[in-house]
Amino acid sequence: MPKAYVYTRHGGPETEAFADLDRPVPGPGEVLVAVRAAGVNPVDWKLRGGFRRPGEGDARFPVVLGSEAAGVVEETGAGVTGFAAGDEVFGNTPTGAFAEYALLTASVTAHKPAALSFTDAATLPVAAATAYDGVRQLDLPEGATLLVTGAGGGVGVAALQIARAWGLRVVGVAGEAKKDLVEALGAVHVPSGPGLADRVRAVAPEGVDGVYDLVGGEVLAEAAGLLADRTKLITAGAPPETVAALGGARVARARTAAVLDEVAELVVAGELDPHVSRTFPLDKADEALRAVEDGHALGKIVIEVAI
Ligand SMILES: NC(=O)c1ccc[n+]([C@@H]2O[C@H](COP(=O)([O-])OP(=O)(O)OC[C@H]3O[C@@H](n4cnc5c(N)ncnc54)[C@H](OP(=O)(O)O)[C@@H]3O)[C@@H](O)[C@H]2O)c1
């Protein structure tokens, strides 16, 4: 039976296990893929811990970990058009990706351009698409200054590059270990930690026009204080009520195949490098998840299932 990495109840890493599961059968609107690569995201350990997405019912254990994958179509479910066996695709999955087979949601699945690797494609549905949605939501004019917190993580590296590609000046807050990466991506680096607002003012004395927060907590609160117009404050890293209290909003996710096509095109055009810093084989999925769960991953972590 095909192998998968699962959690068997809600809790910490002790709930995780490798399992042999039946090959899934695609239902209506689903695409069965032989997984080549799966991106690893904070939401994976958050779901394991009991977090539920809006409208999501109770978990049915064992739950396969992972929310995004790239692979080759094996079979399509009822009502699915535009995909056929053998197509190379990437997309979102609510039913797990750290596995030899996964069911992608057809409406958030796109054809993988030949010039895009499976490894890079596997990082686009969650991190890069979230970055894209957020920068677009802020709708800043060319030449405006965008502050990105958590700039060296999965969403951050994509947000920096998309903002630069759209003509924004970008200030990226990240730890010292990520300074070189942030600068290489065309942003001004500001070290994270207490006193953040003063350090941002020093590099952007004319102020910032938008904030894309990817951290939450004190970092979000301090960054919010830098904005004259709080409608230009968004976060992917804090709950809606926290950011609403500061006058901002959660990033509104489009979750469409069209956005996946757009971010793939940016990669192919050389304007977006998802910056995969580490890869792990499926039988080291536990190590891959720990590398994200420690909260300080550099760029993206990917599980290469069959590369
Ligand atoms: N709503 C959605 O659809 C959606 C989608 C994707 C992600 N998200 C959320 O957005 C957040 C970021 O996701 P991601 O994939 O970019 O995560 P990630 O790859 O783990 O990156 C997070 C970054 O935050 C920084 N960080 C962590 N703790 C910090 C602190 N105390 N102060 C300052 N910086 C800190 C880390 O950088 P340093 O090492 O420099 O500290 C890290 O690079 C997560 O909360 C995730 O769940 C939401």
Side-chain angles (χ1 to χ4, degrees), residues 42-71:
V43 74
D44 302 327
W45 59 260
K46 291 178 185 179
L47 287 166
R48 184 204 64 212
F51 168 77
R52 309 305 294 155
R53 299 181 183 101
E56 203 168 38
D58 289 343
R60 288 171 55 198
F61 304 111
V63 177
V64 180
L65 284 144
S67 311
E68 59 184 352

Side-chain angles (χ1 to χ4, degrees), residues 23-115:
R23 197 172 112 137
V25 176
E30 293 178 333
V31 177
L32 174 70
V33 297
V35 177
R36 296 295 191 84
V40 186
N41 294 284
V43 74
D44 302 327
W45 59 260
K46 291 178 185 179
L47 287 166
R48 184 204 64 212
F51 168 77
R52 309 305 294 155
R53 299 181 183 101
E56 203 168 38
D58 289 343
R60 288 171 55 198
F61 304 111
V63 177
V64 180
L65 284 144
S67 311
E68 59 184 352
V72 179
V73 175
E74 291 271 320
E75 211 180 314
T76 57
V80 173
T81 56
F83 297 107
D87 287 357
E88 298 182 345
V89 299
F90 64 105
N92 291 86
T93 168
T95 49
F98 301 175
E100 289 175 297
Y101 292 93
L103 294 172
L104 302 185
T105 304
S107 59
V108 266
T109 295
H111 289 275
K112 182 186 78 61

Side-chain angles (χ1 to χ4, degrees), residues 221-246:
E222 251 201 279
L226 290 159
L227 272 178
D229 176 2
R230 295 290 180 92
T231 67
K232 297 298 181 187
L233 171 67
I234 60 166
T235 184
E241 56 280 10
T242 305
V243 66
L246 293 165

